[in-house]
Amino acid sequence: MIHERCFALDLIVEDGRCVGVHALDADGRRIEVRARHTLLATGGAGQLFAVTTNPPEATGDGVAMALRAGVAVADLEFFQFHPTALDHPSMPRPLLSEALRGHGALLRDARGERFVDELLPRDVVSRAITARMLEQGVDRVWLDATVLDHFDIRFPTIAADLDAAGLDPATEWLPVAPAAHHQCGGIITDLNGATSMPGLWAAGETSCSGVHGANRLASNSLLEGMVFGARVVEAIAAGVVAAEATGAMRTVAGRPTSGTVIGGQRLALPERARSTATTIDRQRVVELRHQLQRALTTHAGVLRTAASIRSATDALLAVDAEIPAGTVDPAVCELANLVEVGAALLAAADAREESRGAHARTDFPGAHEAFRLRLVIGGPPAHG
Ligand SMILES: Cc1cc2nc3c(=O)[nH]c(=O)nc-3n(C[C@H](O)[C@H](O)[C@H](O)COP(=O)(O)OP(=O)(O)OC[C@H]3O[C@@H](n4cnc5c(N)ncnc54)[C@H](O)[C@@H]3O)c2cc1C
C-alpha cells in the first residue's frame, strides 16, 4: 500500500529492530506504517543554515529519526558549501554553477579585485570568499561573467534565474556568497545501504555510505540515490538481513547489533532540556527556525572555531528549550529535527580539532593524522 503526502515522525523499534515508522497522514492523523524493511531517503539538511541552496523540506528528518533511535550516524561536520550561490532574497538560493567559472567568469571582491583562483575546489573557494567577506565587512562578493559570450544560449537555466532577479550577466557583475549545499555525512550504511539497525536501510543524501569522505565531489550525490537506492532493493530481494563491514560501515564493523568501533571515535551529545509546554505559537516556530539558521551560519558555517561552535551550541540549546515535547505539528517536528541534527553536527565540529575537507577550523588550520577517522554518534555499543 502506498501512503502519499505523509510526514514520517519516528522509527518504530522493537527488540532492536526497525519495524516501520510513526507518521502523520495527509489529514494530520497519527498513523503507524509497519514494514519488514524501512528505507530512509529523506534527503539533506541544508535548512540548518540561513543561506542554502536546499529546499525548505531539507531538515534532516531521517538523520534526526536515526539519532533518536540510536542508529549510528557520522561525518555530519562535513557540510559542503557551494561558493557561488546568487546573493538574493529568495531561498533556496539559485546556483551560479561551476560551469561559469570553468568558462572564464572571475570572482571579484568589494574593491573589484580578484582574490582566488576560480578553478580551485569548492571548499577552498568558499573559504577564500568567506574570509574576504569577513575582512571587508560585506555579505557578498561578485562573479564577473561579462567576459562570457552567448550567455543565454550556453547557460539557459542560469540566464532564466538571473532574468527573474533582474540581473544582466552581459553588463553587470553578479552578487554571490557561499550557501550550504550538501550534507556529506549521515546515517552510516554499508555498500548495500544497510544501517547499524536491522530492518533499517538508508540511501541518498541522508546516508553516509562512504562515497564522499570529508568532501563531496560535485555531482557525486546523484549516485547516492540512483546506485545505492537500487542496491538496497536488490539486497532486500536477495535476503540480506544484516550490514556488512563495507563502505562507511567499516567504521562500525562486526555484527550490526554489537559492532566494534574501528577507526571511529564515539561522541556524546550535549545535555538538553525540552520545554514542558505542550503548544507553541506558529509564528514563534518560524522565528526559532530563523534563529537557529542564523546561529549555525554565523558560528558554524564555512569557518569555525571552538568559541564560535560554543556560541552556536548555546543558541541551539535556547531554541530547543522552547520546543514543546510530544507535539506532532510537522513545522514543530522539523524544527526539533533541525535541533537534533544541529546538535550532532556541532558536537562533531567541536571534537574535530583540525581542518579537513569541508570542515574548516581557523583555530586548527591543518589536518591531523589522529583525526583520520569518522566521528560516530549512536550505534551499537562499542566493545573490543
Ligand atoms: C540546487 C541544487 C543543485 C544540485 N545539483 C546537483 C548536481 O548537479 N549533481 C548532483 O549529483 N547533485 C546535485 N545536487 C544534490 C542532489 O540534488 C541531492 O543530493 C539529491 O537530490 C538528494 O536526493 P535524495 O533522494 O537523497 O533526497 P531529496 O531529493 O531531497 O528527497 C527527499 C524527499 O524526502 C521527503 N521527506 C523529507 N523528510 C520527510 C519526512 N519526515 N516525511 C516524509 N517525507 C520526507 C522530501 O519531501 C523529499 O521528497 C544538487 C542540489 C541542489 C540543492
Side-chain angles (χ1 to χ4, degrees):
M1 181 174 179
I2 296 174
H3 298 267
E4 290 186 324
R5 293 168 49 231
C6 291
F7 182 87
L9 294 166
D10 262 313
L11 304 174
I12 306 173
V13 181
E14 290 175 358
D15 299 326
R17 183 181 173 87
C18 181
V19 293
V21 290
H22 295 289
L24 296 176
D25 71 10
D27 299 316
R29 284 185 303 244
R30 209 185 153 101
I31 56 169
E32 271 190 12
V33 183
R34 293 201 158 242
R36 276 201 299 277
H37 297 276
T38 303
L39 168 60
L40 287 173
T42 46
Q47 289 291 319
L48 280 168
F49 299 92
V51 178
T52 179
T53 61
N54 287 193
E57 61 272 19
T59 48
D61 295 2
V63 173
M65 285 184 244
L67 285 165
R68 283 193 289 269
V71 179
V73 165
D75 289 357
L76 292 181
E77 66 275 34
F78 300 119
F79 212 105
Q80 181 174 74
F81 286 76
H82 194 290
T84 53
L86 185 66
D87 183 45
H88 184 262
S90 68
M91 203 65 70
R93 290 274 165 95
L95 267 187
L96 303 190
S97 81
E98 263 90 20
L100 299 183
R101 279 174 282 135
H103 284 82
L106 302 175
L107 279 166
R108 299 187 185 278
D109 68 10
R111 288 194 291 269
E113 287 164 12
R114 283 183 69 197
F115 56 93
V116 64
D117 176 351
E118 290 79 0
L119 301 182
L120 286 170
R122 279 184 183 172
D123 59 313
V124 183
V125 179
S126 288
R127 283 198 294 276
I129 293 176
T130 304
R132 188 52 64 110
M133 291 193 312
L134 286 172
E135 206 179 296
Q136 299 189 329
V138 295
D139 292 335
R140 63 191 67 85
V141 293
W142 302 94
L143 188 67
D144 174 3
T146 56
V147 290
L148 304 182
D149 295 328
H150 310 300
F151 194 100
D152 302 17
I153 298 164
R154 293 160 79 191
F155 313 105
T157 314
I158 301 174
D161 280 341
L162 293 175
D163 194 44
L167 293 164
D168 178 3
T171 58
E172 55 194 325
W173 295 350
L174 309 168
V176 292
H181 187 56
H182 189 85
Q183 170 186 278
C184 297
I187 304 162
I188 296 184
T189 71
D190 70 4
L191 293 181
N192 287 324
T195 72
S196 67
M197 178 176 280
L200 182 69
W201 307 74
E205 197 169 329
T206 195
S207 69
C208 173
S209 60
V211 166
H212 304 306
N215 206 357
R216 160 199 181 237
L217 288 177
S219 275
N220 250 359
S221 47
L222 292 182
L223 84 85
E224 284 189 307
M226 295 174 70
V227 175
F228 289 93
R231 288 184 72 108
V232 168
V233 175
E234 284 164 10
I236 292 172
V240 173
V241 292
E244 295 160 2
T246 59
M249 192 55 79
R250 280 175 305 170
T251 309
V252 187
R255 288 176 296 127
T257 48
S258 58
T260 304
V261 176
I262 295 175
Q265 179 183 320
R266 280 172 192 273
L267 292 182
L269 296 180
E271 285 292 317
R272 290 162 42 197
R274 271 290 157 81
S275 160
T276 50
T278 50
T279 58
I280 182 169
D281 180 61
R282 211 9 117 79
Q283 183 53 33
R284 187 64 189 145
V285 176
V286 174
E287 286 165 10
L288 289 172
R289 184 160 161 158
H290 287 158
Q291 211 168 294
L292 178 146
Q293 292 170 329
R294 277 196 304 274
L296 265 97
T297 292
T298 309
H299 302 301
V302 176
L303 300 174
R304 304 159 174 174
T305 64
S308 76
I309 292 167
R310 206 159 34 247
S311 300
T313 306
D314 290 346
L316 182 128
L317 293 178
V319 169
D320 196 34
E322 287 197 46
I323 300 177
T327 66
V328 287
D329 176 337
V332 182
C333 293
E334 283 191 344
L335 179 62
N337 289 340
L338 287 170
V339 168
E340 198 79 49
V341 181
L345 183 155
L346 291 169
D350 185 43
R352 189 171 284 283
E353 293 182 331
E354 64 157 359
S355 293
R356 180 185 297 274
H359 169 70
R361 291 275 302 255
T362 49
D363 48 354
F364 293 98
H368 293 295
E369 201 50 34
F371 278 108
R372 192 194 275 274
L373 46 70
R374 288 205 157 82
L375 299 177
V376 180
I377 296 167
H383 65 79

